[in-house]
Amino acid sequence: MALDRAARLRAAVERDGPTCIWCGRTFSDQVTPSTEHVVPRVKGGPSWLENEVAACRRCNSERGHTAPVEWLEECDRRGWRPDEARLTAVLGTLATAIAERGGQRRARPYLDAQLRRLRRRGGGPDPRAVG
């Protein structure tokens, strides 16, 4: 059974921890989490838990439809503490989920481009590689 949005947010916070993926702030009454699609819906990203992370409302709003690696770089420029390892893991998990479930024709090339950019940044090995 598919999870509703609130359940996916709870699951993302439980999976990733109580911090914003982009700025690193800890969630609280003043810093509330929101569901962030790593691959934006307008780029074909699905509303699957594998494509969602918890981000503070400020980061989610300011990012808009900016590509994840581009926003990661902007967060670095702003002096925030983006979690590149978490981003790499989520994108790799999403790529695996798409390969297993199929579909997501629009999201695949976008996702592949983001994974290539992360590797060029020195984000480590291909997260889809089986080891």
Side-chain angles (χ1 to χ4, degrees):
M1 183 167 123
L3 299 174
D4 66 15
R5 187 178 188 148
R8 289 193 316 267
L9 176 59
R10 283 191 303 276
V13 170
E14 186 176 304
R15 177 191 66 206
D16 300 331
T19 59
C20 176
I21 188 172
W22 304 117
C23 68
R25 295 187 302 169
T26 301
F27 300 129
S28 67
D29 290 339
Q30 289 78 34
V31 181
T32 56
S34 63
T35 302
E36 168 85 339
H37 289 88
V38 179
V39 174
R41 301 275 300 149
V42 298
K43 298 294 184 181
S47 285
W48 298 348
L49 181 58
E50 294 89 352
N51 188 37
E52 295 177 345
V53 293
C56 70
R57 292 186 186 277
R58 176 191 69 183
C59 289
N60 195 344
S61 174
E62 287 187 27
R63 177 182 170 214
H65 303 305
T66 305
V69 178
E70 185 178 331
W71 184 245
L72 180 81
E73 292 166 350
E74 175 61 24
C75 293
D76 281 336
R77 280 191 290 278
R78 293 180 182 199
W80 296 348
R81 297 179 322 245
D83 192 339
E84 186 169 346
R86 187 185 333 171
L87 178 61
T88 301
V90 168
L91 289 174
T93 300
L94 177 59
T96 300
I98 289 173
E100 290 172 357
R101 296 180 196 171
Q104 309 309 315
R105 203 172 55 227
R106 284 183 26 221
R108 287 176 186 216
Y110 183 89
L111 177 58
D112 289 342
Q114 293 303 299
L115 288 166
R116 279 192 306 275
R117 284 188 69 187
L118 274 173
R119 284 191 300 273
R120 281 196 303 263
R121 278 180 53 89
D126 187 340
R128 295 174 296 177
V130 176

